[in-house]
């Protein structure tokens, strides 16, 4: 019963933003039953479910701490639990990246990959595509990120007829690497080519994947507009994505929408409107603890505003990004906050 409740809580929170109290009730009951049974696997699954609830609720740091605790139980007290271990590690890593703790994520990646490769764990390898690729980009190695993104899903076998979490991680990693390298048109075409497969696989029912996919789609359109694409068409797509984010239910969606709208308006030359949207993005992203994106928005806001105050904001945000191990800040800004070419340069 404990295991069933834990799995139900993990699945329910992925697709339902409302109803958090009832989902927390499932977790509490699972934890109580696990404690009474003193079964290590039940205890680990209950902790894993608690971590997943926090991930999908946007509580990144609490999620990471809970998932790390689950990982410890899995390693020390359980056997034959590679699925549970892979989920705990991958989602803990994703939580670190979402809250902007990129340096810590990068430090963890090599050992996690080594372990997964030693046990030929294709499931774990596929779910490490995104963390491994993003930390490679942070280290100013987009070629390695692209190679990881294109090779790792193959560990899962022939998935030509279906779309998996590995494919999603591969897609987001590839388009990120292409935006980083200034290949906005390629990023846009790859995103649009796979978008129908994402919808068909019902990934957009998972609210975190829906929000992140919509956000990445907007960034690809903005980057493609900078790369010589049809600006009117691409700006319309980015605006539509921005509005979808503003209207979505998770707390972190609207700040990401303001970020998109700020980049879009800057690209259109609407400076004051862009500054207002970036201000909303900064306050919202800070509130929901998305540190990396908040720093990107601050850097763009400072550069766009100009003057001494703008310069100080740009310098402070750049320093924060460098502290997180980002080697090439300007390229990361092009990747995560496109739309400013010709506006700032």
């Amino acid at each position: 019963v404990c295991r069933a409740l834990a799995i139900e809580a993990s699945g329910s929170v992925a697709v339902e933003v409302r109803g958090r109290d009832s989902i927390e009730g499932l977790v509490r009951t699972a934890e109580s039953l696990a404690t009474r049974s003193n079964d290590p696997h039940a205890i680990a699954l209950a902790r894993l479910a608690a971590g997943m609830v926090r991930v999908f609720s946007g509580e990144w740091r609490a999620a990471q701490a809970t998932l790390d605790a689950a990982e410890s139980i899995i390693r020390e007290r359980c056997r034959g639990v590679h699925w549970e271990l892979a989920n705990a590690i991958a989602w803990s890593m994703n939580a670190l990246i979402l809250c902007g703790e990129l340096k810590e994520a990068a430090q963890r990646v090599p050992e996690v990959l080594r372990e997964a490769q030693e046990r030929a764990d294709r499931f774990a390898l596929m779910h490490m595509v995104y963390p491994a690729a993003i930390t490679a980009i942070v280290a100013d190695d987009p070629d390695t990120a692209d190679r990881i993104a294109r090779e790792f899903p193959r560990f899962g076998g022939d998935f030509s007829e279906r779309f998996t979490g590995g494919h999603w991680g591969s897609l987001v990693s590839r388009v990120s690497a292409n935006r980083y390298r200034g290949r906005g048109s390629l990023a846009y075409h790859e995103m649009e080519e796979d978008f129908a497969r994402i919808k068909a696989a019902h990934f957009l029912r998972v609210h975190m994947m829906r929000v992140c996919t919509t956000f990445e789609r907007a960034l690809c359109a903005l980057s493609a507009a900078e790369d010589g694409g049809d600006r009117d068409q691409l700006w319309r797509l980015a605006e539509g994505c921005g509005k979808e984010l503003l209207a979505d239910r998770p707390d972190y969606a609207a700040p990401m929408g303001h970020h998109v709208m700020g980049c879009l308006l800057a690209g259109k030359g609407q400076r004051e409107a862009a500054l207002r949207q970036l201000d909303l993005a900064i306050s919202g992203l800070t509130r929901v603890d998305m540190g990396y994106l908040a720093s990107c928005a601050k850097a763009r806001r400072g550069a766009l505003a100009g003057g001494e105050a703008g310069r100080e904001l740009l310098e402070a945000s750049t320093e924060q990004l460098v502290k997180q191990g980002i080697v090439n800040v300007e390229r990361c800004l092009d990747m995560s906050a496109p739309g400013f070419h010709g506006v700032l340069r």
Side-chain angles (χ1 to χ4, degrees), residues 118-155:
E118 283 184 355
R119 65 176 185 263
D121 190 336
R122 297 183 296 184
F123 180 83
L125 287 168
M126 287 180 65
H127 283 77
M128 280 300 296
V129 169
Y130 177 73
I134 290 303
T135 52
I137 291 173
V138 166
D140 196 28
D141 191 358
D143 292 340
T144 293
D146 191 74
R147 177 182 57 77
I148 289 169
R150 295 182 190 281
E151 290 182 357
F152 273 33
R154 298 176 191 168
F155 284 103

Side-chain angles (χ1 to χ4, degrees), residues 1 37 41 53 95 111 115 135 159-160 162 206 234 242 247 295 312 314 344-345:
V1 171
S37 71
H41 186 246
V53 169
E111 179 62 18
E115 280 190 347
T135 52
F159 289 145
S160 58
R162 55 196 174 106
V206 179
L234 294 164
S295 293
E312 291 177 355
L314 175 60
L344 303 179
R345 296 175 177 82

Side-chain angles (χ1 to χ4, degrees), residues 210-212 214-215 240-248 253-254 256-257 260:
R210 181 178 66 247
V211 169
C212 291
T214 303
F215 182 71
C241 290
K243 289 179 177 178
E244 285 182 32
L245 291 168
L246 292 172
D248 214 331
M256 295 168 76
V260 167

Side-chain angles (χ1 to χ4, degrees), residues 174-186:
R174 282 183 278 121
V175 299
S176 297
N178 281 325
R179 294 199 308 268
Y180 184 91
R181 294 183 290 194
R183 302 174 183 175
S185 294
L186 181 57

Side-chain angles (χ1 to χ4, degrees), residues 52-249:
M52 296 297 286
V53 169
R54 285 163 176 76
V55 167
F56 284 103
S57 300
E59 300 168 10
W60 323 118
R61 293 178 196 275
Q64 184 248 321
T66 305
L67 291 165
D68 284 354
E71 180 190 347
S72 295
I73 297 170
I74 292 166
R75 288 185 181 279
E76 295 168 10
R77 302 180 61 189
C78 301
R79 293 183 179 180
V81 284
H82 296 317
W83 179 88
E84 293 86 342
L85 182 62
N87 271 293
I89 291 172
W91 284 107
S92 176
M93 199 85 70
N94 288 333
L96 282 170
I97 292 170
L98 285 164
C99 70
E101 296 295 338
L102 302 174
K103 182 177 286 187
E104 184 175 349
Q107 291 170 347
R108 294 186 180 198
V109 164
E111 179 62 18
V112 172
L113 290 180
R114 184 191 64 77
E115 280 190 347
Q117 288 166 342
E118 283 184 355
R119 65 176 185 263
D121 190 336
R122 297 183 296 184
F123 180 83
L125 287 168
M126 287 180 65
H127 283 77
M128 280 300 296
V129 169
Y130 177 73
I134 290 303
T135 52
I137 291 173
V138 166
D140 196 28
D141 191 358
D143 292 340
T144 293
D146 191 74
R147 177 182 57 77
I148 289 169
R150 295 182 190 281
E151 290 182 357
F152 273 33
R154 298 176 191 168
F155 284 103
D158 183 9
F159 289 145
S160 58
E161 298 302 318
R162 55 196 174 106
F163 196 88
T164 70
H167 285 97
W168 189 86
S170 171
L171 173 62
V172 174
S173 300
R174 282 183 278 121
V175 299
S176 297
N178 281 325
R179 294 199 308 268
Y180 184 91
R181 294 183 290 194
R183 302 174 183 175
S185 294
L186 181 57
Y188 165 74
H189 288 301
E190 290 207 58
M191 172 58 74
E192 294 306 299
E193 183 177 327
D194 270 358
F195 186 67
R197 297 182 69 200
I198 294 173
K199 290 178 66 176
H202 302 290
F203 273 53
L204 300 185
R205 292 183 60 199
V206 179
H207 52 79
M208 180 181 289
M209 285 190 164
R210 181 178 66 247
V211 169
C212 291
T213 300
T214 303
F215 182 71
E216 291 290 333
R217 200 177 179 208
L219 297 187
C220 288
L222 292 170
S223 186
E226 290 182 320
D227 196 26
D230 183 338
R231 292 197 302 179
D232 290 339
Q233 176 188 343
L234 294 164
W235 282 344
R236 279 195 301 272
L237 175 58
E239 183 177 11
C241 290
K243 289 179 177 178
E244 285 182 32
L245 291 168
L246 292 172
D248 214 331
R249 293 177 294 172

Side-chain angles (χ1 to χ4, degrees), residues 86 127 336 341:
H127 283 77
S336 302
H341 281 222

